[in-house]
Amino acid sequence: MDTVIKILLAADILLGLFFLFPSGFKRKRFYWIKKEISGLILLAGGIVGFYAVYTENSVLLRTVFWSFVGLFSISLGVFDLIKIRICKTMVYGRFVESKISGTGRNRSVTPTFEYTYGGVVYKNESGEDIPPEISKNYETGKPYPIFICENEPYLYITDRNMIGKVIFEIILGIIVLGTAYL
């Protein structure tokens, strides 16, 4: 069991380092910041976790694990909340395709839209995980309203009404973070 934990912590550290290296987000500041913060959380969790394993402190290991799960959930929720807040300008985007991930009840769809803003054509994934029941209504080639950020037009969302999901994610992260210390 100890070996498995060490392997998982090593993977956590490597993933954190991978997130910290620059790649693929040229001129996409929002995604770059989100990636860097996620990388720092994963890296710190892995390092402190290794310390807990080598000092054989199972209480510290449990506390560290749940603390970083809570922090990760809170950070993702905060970034989604920021995205909802800054993506205000409605434009019509042509639906291109969907990427399906997960299986069973955990399936989600990430749509890709093509749209024009300020004379520039953008074709990006939304970065949202949408339940398949909603996304199957999209028809390839048809225009749909999307909300973009004027300062960073590559950034968009398909629905500004998902704030309940985001707040739930933040509250869940706070609860997990709080229970880590019980």
Side-chain angles (χ1 to χ4, degrees):
M1 184 69 171
D2 197 36
T3 306
V4 172
I5 291 173
K6 288 177 185 176
I7 290 171
L8 290 174
L9 288 171
D12 185 41
I13 290 173
L14 290 175
L15 189 60
L17 288 173
F18 173 75
F19 278 13
L20 291 175
F21 287 122
S23 65
F25 292 116
K26 295 176 184 171
R27 297 178 310 228
K28 294 186 177 183
R29 189 177 53 148
F30 180 85
Y31 289 125
W32 180 81
I33 292 170
K34 183 177 181 180
K35 187 177 111 140
E36 294 296 310
I37 289 177
S38 297
L40 286 173
I41 289 171
L42 290 170
L43 184 62
I47 290 170
V48 176
F50 259 120
Y51 173 76
V53 166
Y54 282 106
T55 59
E56 297 180 2
N57 189 339
S58 62
V59 173
L60 177 62
L61 183 62
R62 186 190 74 231
T63 303
V64 165
F65 175 77
W66 290 113
S67 295
F68 284 99
V69 167
L71 282 173
F72 199 70
S73 177
I74 292 168
S75 71
L76 292 179
V78 167
F79 275 107
D80 287 344
L81 198 59
I82 291 169
K83 196 172 175 184
I84 290 171
R85 175 94 172 101
I86 64 176
C87 293
K88 296 179 182 177
T89 306
M90 188 184 83
V91 298
Y92 281 89
R94 185 178 59 82
F95 177 70
V96 178
E97 65 182 353
S98 290
K99 182 175 79 175
I100 298 173
S101 60
T103 58
R105 297 167 77 192
N106 295 324
R107 276 188 35 196
S108 64
V109 176
T110 304
T112 299
F113 282 89
E114 184 175 88
Y115 54 96
T116 303
Y117 182 74
V120 178
V121 176
Y122 296 90
K123 181 180 176 184
N124 296 315
E125 287 184 356
S126 71
E128 300 171 292
D129 293 328
I130 300 171
E133 302 81 46
I134 297 171
S135 67
K136 66 182 174 188
N137 296 330
Y138 292 135
E139 293 181 33
T140 303
K142 287 197 172 190
Y144 294 94
I146 59 174
F147 300 91
I148 66 165
C149 173
E150 290 181 356
N151 296 334
E152 300 183 44
Y154 64 87
L155 190 63
Y156 73 93
I157 57 175
T158 57
D159 184 11
R160 293 196 78 222
N161 296 324
M162 61 179 188
I163 198 157
K165 174 191 160 272
V166 172
I167 291 185
F168 174 75
E169 190 174 35
I170 292 170
I171 290 172
L172 184 65
I174 291 169
I175 289 169
V176 168
L177 183 63
T179 58
Y181 295 96
L182 294 178

